[in-house]
Amino acid sequence: MKPMAHLGVGIGWRPEIADAVERLDGLDWVEVVAENICPGHLPEALERLRERGTRIVPHGVSLGLGGADRPDPQKLAALGERAVALGAPLVTEHIAFVRTSSPVLEAGHLLPVSRTRDALDVLCENVRIAQDALPVPLALENIAALFSWPGEEMTEGQFLTELVERTGVRLLIDVANLHTNRVNRREDPAAVLDSIPLEALAYVHVAGGVERGGVWHDTHAHPVPPVVLDLLAELRSRVEPAGVLLERDDDFPPEAELAGELAAIREVLTAGRTASAGEAARPVRAAAPKPLSGPEPQAGAGGGAEPRPGPESASAPEPEAGPRSADGVGAQTEARQAAATWARTGAGDEGGRTRVALGQAALLSALVAGTPVPEGFDRARLRVQVRALAAKRADVVAKVAPELPGILGGREPYRKAFLAYAKGRPMTAGYRRDALDFAEHLLIQDLPADPAARRRLTAWWRERAGARPPRRIVRWARALAGRAA
């Protein structure tokens, strides 16, 4: 495989830290969330970076190449358009699934694929489709996960190795995700690094997180801990990466702290060069995580969720979802049917893509539509994931529609109202549509109670939906139909 062009040390570009990024000394490159930029209207700060020669790599979060459906041609075209507009040397995505088509459900988050032959066959075909459609090379990232699939047939290293051998795709190794999976799935990061083809390495991600109750939350909102830097040193002892990137997506620290984290990354890389020249010993492997404590892992308060309209991190806990309301009865019924079909036919003679589709539908339905947990999954872990997905959904909708918390009286009243809505309405069309549906849901119920706030919400909804809100008689009819269901 042809060696990767040198990238150096970079940082994830976010609008909230755009000014700080421009001032960081010695910054070699940046990565942008592909779905958050428009090629014809790049932010001025990003344009200035490009003009001064800073390399920019688009990082996709919504393709879902590990999903049972073949990649969406429009999403592939959009990702390729951004690569061309930015003059990027490559584009990156994730080894994950993010949605199902039967029933139509969106996770709003990167969910792990099962490491089985069926799932690998589907992933490899989807990757080849993407490679043929994209104008630049593709690299795929290992993801952080809260749970494992039952009945897996391969280790992470075997799965990644065969993926590279069959497709020629490059790897984006996130060492923070390796640590997350060490804690949450008891996987040995060193064993993964020893078994994957590091000649396929495109670059490396480094990020922060936090452990609560035996669960590691990959928040991208906390400082990079020493244990993650230790894993970067482990990787560097095996290979010199073409690039290393610091990710931060929420609770942004002062500029000096960002600069300090970049300096710590450079120090690890410099020490690695010395060690590889025989002047130092191999870095000490990070200590094994503490065993899971208690009968059920619990997520503590304050975990971050990535503030962007795309799935990457789902960490913040909330009260777990209860019974679904009539608003989501159609989606819930379809989800229950998919779960039942998976239980009947998951081990049948159907094609691999169909089996993957059934398994993913059953799992995602359990996570967002309240259907039964499929056999073999760790129910405690899935309860943590349910809470995290709901909390992330609320946080991201507040980011894409920041007026809503203000209209509803603040962050806490907004979150309470949104989480009540989300219990009965699985997301089916992305965060911006979700914000509109949430507003309409409130208006149908003559909420908020304050008339002035309701008028503001009506005006907000009308401006963005391009339609008149339902008349009172329609709202009554819908409410009665919901209660009858």
Side-chain angles (χ1 to χ4, degrees):
M1 185 174 287
K2 184 178 178 181
M4 262 292 297
H6 179 74
L7 290 171
V9 175
I11 193 169
W13 187 91
R14 305 290 182 262
E16 296 90 340
I17 55 172
D19 292 341
V21 169
E22 282 192 78
R23 293 190 293 265
L24 288 170
D25 289 334
L27 188 69
D28 298 310
W29 64 295
V30 299
E31 181 191 79
V32 296
V33 178
E35 289 80 355
N36 285 1
I37 61 169
C38 179
H41 305 279
L42 294 178
E44 291 183 5
L46 206 54
E47 284 279 22
R48 289 193 294 270
L49 287 175
R50 189 175 172 220
E51 288 169 3
R52 75 187 198 193
T54 303
R55 278 188 165 172
I56 305 172
V57 174
H59 185 55
V61 296
S62 65
L63 269 182
L65 291 174
D69 294 326
R70 289 174 175 82
D72 183 336
Q74 291 184 332
K75 290 183 182 295
L76 283 173
L79 184 57
E81 184 182 13
R82 283 150 178 78
V84 171
L86 296 169
L90 79 164
V91 296
T92 58
E93 249 286 354
H94 300 82
I95 301 169
F97 82 98
V98 299
R99 65 181 62 85
T100 59
S101 58
S102 181
V104 177
L105 295 172
E106 289 278 346
H109 179 63
L110 301 164
L111 294 174
V113 301
S114 175
R115 291 179 297 217
T116 61
R117 287 288 162 192
D118 282 344
L120 181 61
D121 289 344
V122 168
L123 175 62
C124 287
E125 182 184 355
N126 289 351
V127 167
R128 286 191 288 267
I129 292 170
Q131 288 171 317
D132 289 343
L134 292 169
V136 294
L138 171 68
L140 295 181
E141 178 180 350
N142 61 308
I143 71 161
L146 280 171
F147 61 88
S148 297
W149 283 76
E152 294 193 319
E153 299 164 353
M154 287 173 273
T155 66
E156 177 82 342
Q158 291 168 338
F159 193 84
L160 295 180
T161 297
E162 192 160 335
L163 170 64
V164 171
E165 290 173 347
R166 289 172 58 176
T167 65
V169 75
R170 291 188 180 273
L171 297 176
L172 191 180
I173 296 299
D174 189 317
V175 291
N177 291 351
L178 291 179
H179 175 64
T180 301
N181 295 339
R182 168 168 52 194
V183 177
N184 295 347
R185 304 205 287 186
R186 303 178 188 272
E187 296 174 352
D188 182 1
V192 176
L193 293 176
D194 284 339
S195 59
I196 61 175
L198 289 174
E199 67 274 12
L201 182 64
Y203 60 87
V204 178
H205 273 175
V206 176
V210 64
E211 184 176 352
R212 297 190 185 96
V215 177
W216 186 269
H217 298 284
D218 179 46
T219 64
H220 294 193
H222 290 79
V224 177
V227 69
V228 171
L229 291 177
D230 287 346
L231 283 178
L232 177 61
E234 279 272 9
L235 184 147
R236 178 60 190 88
S237 73
R238 293 161 171 79
V239 66
E240 182 169 6
V244 179
L245 184 116
L246 171 66
E247 288 189 295
R248 187 77 177 232
D249 294 303
D250 206 352
D251 291 340
F252 298 100
E255 184 176 333
E257 189 172 327
L258 289 175
E261 292 200 307
L262 290 171
I265 290 171
R266 291 189 186 97
E267 184 177 345
V268 170
L269 297 177
T270 301
R273 292 188 193 98
T274 303
S276 64
E279 297 174 17
R282 183 168 172 165
V284 176
R285 183 179 304 178
K290 296 180 292 184
L292 298 177
S293 58
E296 176 182 339
Q298 297 292 328
E306 285 200 29
R308 63 197 193 202
E312 179 81 74
S313 171
S315 305
E318 288 295 334
E320 78 183 70
R324 304 293 171 178
S325 72
D327 285 344
V329 69
Q332 185 184 5
T333 300
E334 192 175 357
R336 289 187 184 278
Q337 291 170 345
T341 303
W342 162 248
R344 292 195 307 272
T345 64
D349 294 326
E350 299 179 0
R353 195 174 282 273
T354 300
R355 287 191 291 273
V356 169
L358 289 169
Q360 291 180 351
L363 173 61
L364 187 52
S365 298
L367 292 175
V368 302
T371 60
V373 174
E375 189 68 28
F377 282 94
D378 185 324
R379 294 172 183 272
R381 289 282 168 165
L382 291 198
R383 283 194 288 270
V384 175
Q385 186 72 81
V386 166
R387 293 194 294 269
L389 289 176
K392 178 183 178 181
R393 186 177 166 192
D395 287 345
V396 178
V397 166
K399 289 286 184 180
V400 301
E403 303 88 353
L404 291 178
I407 292 172
L408 297 178
R411 182 177 183 272
E412 290 309 314
Y414 157 78
R415 285 178 67 84
K416 182 178 179 181
F418 186 89
L419 291 170
Y421 149 82
K423 288 179 181 179
R425 294 286 293 269
M427 186 165 60
T428 60
Y431 289 112
R432 288 182 173 83
R433 182 71 252 175
D434 206 20
L436 288 171
D437 290 346
F438 169 54
E440 182 179 6
H441 169 81
L442 293 177
L443 293 172
I444 287 171
Q445 299 182 77
D446 282 329
L447 295 174
D450 175 55
R454 194 162 61 250
R455 285 194 296 272
R456 289 175 60 199
L457 184 62
T458 299
W460 181 90
W461 181 87
R462 182 182 296 163
E463 179 182 345
R464 287 155 183 79
R468 300 180 68 86
R471 292 179 299 160
R472 183 178 295 274
I473 187 66
V474 175
R475 297 199 297 270
W476 287 346
R478 290 186 185 179
L480 287 171
R483 282 194 282 271

